[in-house]
Amino acid sequence: MTETAQPGRGVRLPRDARRAQLLEAAQHVFVHNGYHAAAMDDIAERAGVSKPVLYQHFPGKLELYLALLDVHGNELVRRVREAIASTSDNKLRVRAAIGALYEFVAGEDQAFRLVFESDLRGEPAVEKSVESALHGCIDAITEAVTADAGLDAERARLLAVGLVGLAQVTARDWLDARGTISRDEAVGLMSTLAWKGLAGFPLQNT
């Protein structure tokens, strides 16, 4: 299925491509203006489409914002799962998982600001979306810790929460500080800190 923007406002695009274009434009506006100051007019103008075209895809600003959160939340979870699956060496797994979170925070598209620094966190649907992304990361790490350390799910999950919290908080602080520490060095420091703790749980069934 394709659609046509108003004359002079764009070209004919497949529906999925148009949706991706609108999300990209919305991300720029939301990141720079915040949710409350962002206007659908600004998003439509940024995308080069008419407002009716924008509303064909998203019935309102909140739905557009939630769609963006879902895209980036799913991307974050995918990166963490891929990082964990990239090696069977648990020390390297810790570094890869922390590195994935740092990479997400340092992304030029500033997607992390939508996920972690939303000015709409009081909205239940937004809170649910953000928590879903965090829980997805925690679940991925819990599965690895449970399998490799022989801990029950409750204890493994608490360790996973600690690891995700460590990476999330330090990555945001590192980015805001913009000091002399490179991303690789920051990931190395936090990985060493985390591994010194997780290494205290011996591998099972070896």
Side-chain angles (χ1 to χ4, degrees), residues 50-155:
S50 64
K51 280 182 68 176
V53 168
L54 179 57
Y55 281 112
Q56 285 174 13
H57 292 265
F58 303 100
K61 187 166 70 168
L62 179 58
E63 289 79 8
L64 179 51
Y65 193 79
L66 289 172
L68 268 176
L69 286 183
D70 286 344
V71 167
H72 292 305
N74 291 337
E75 172 65 13
L76 175 58
V77 174
R78 183 191 66 79
R79 290 188 188 189
V80 170
R81 286 196 172 275
E82 286 187 353
I84 293 172
S86 67
T87 177
S88 59
D89 183 311
N90 283 318
K91 184 176 182 179
L92 295 179
R93 274 181 168 178
V94 169
R95 183 183 179 95
I98 292 176
L101 283 158
Y102 265 75
E103 183 181 23
F104 180 78
V105 168
E108 291 184 1
D109 60 3
Q110 299 188 64
F112 85 98
R113 295 197 183 279
L114 290 173
V115 178
F116 295 133
E117 298 182 357
S118 170
D119 58 350
L120 199 63
R121 286 295 291 269
E123 167 63 41
V126 171
E127 186 68 23
K128 181 179 179 181
S129 181
V130 173
E131 290 299 314
S132 177
L134 290 175
H135 289 166
C137 296
I138 291 167
D139 288 345
I141 296 171
T142 298
E143 292 165 13
V145 173
T146 302
D148 291 339
L151 295 175
D152 62 74
E154 184 180 2
R155 287 166 178 77

Side-chain angles (χ1 to χ4, degrees), residues 32-47:
H32 288 83
N33 297 350
Y35 176 84
H36 294 293
M40 294 292 270
D41 287 303
D42 297 332
I43 295 169
E45 182 178 356
R46 175 83 185 179

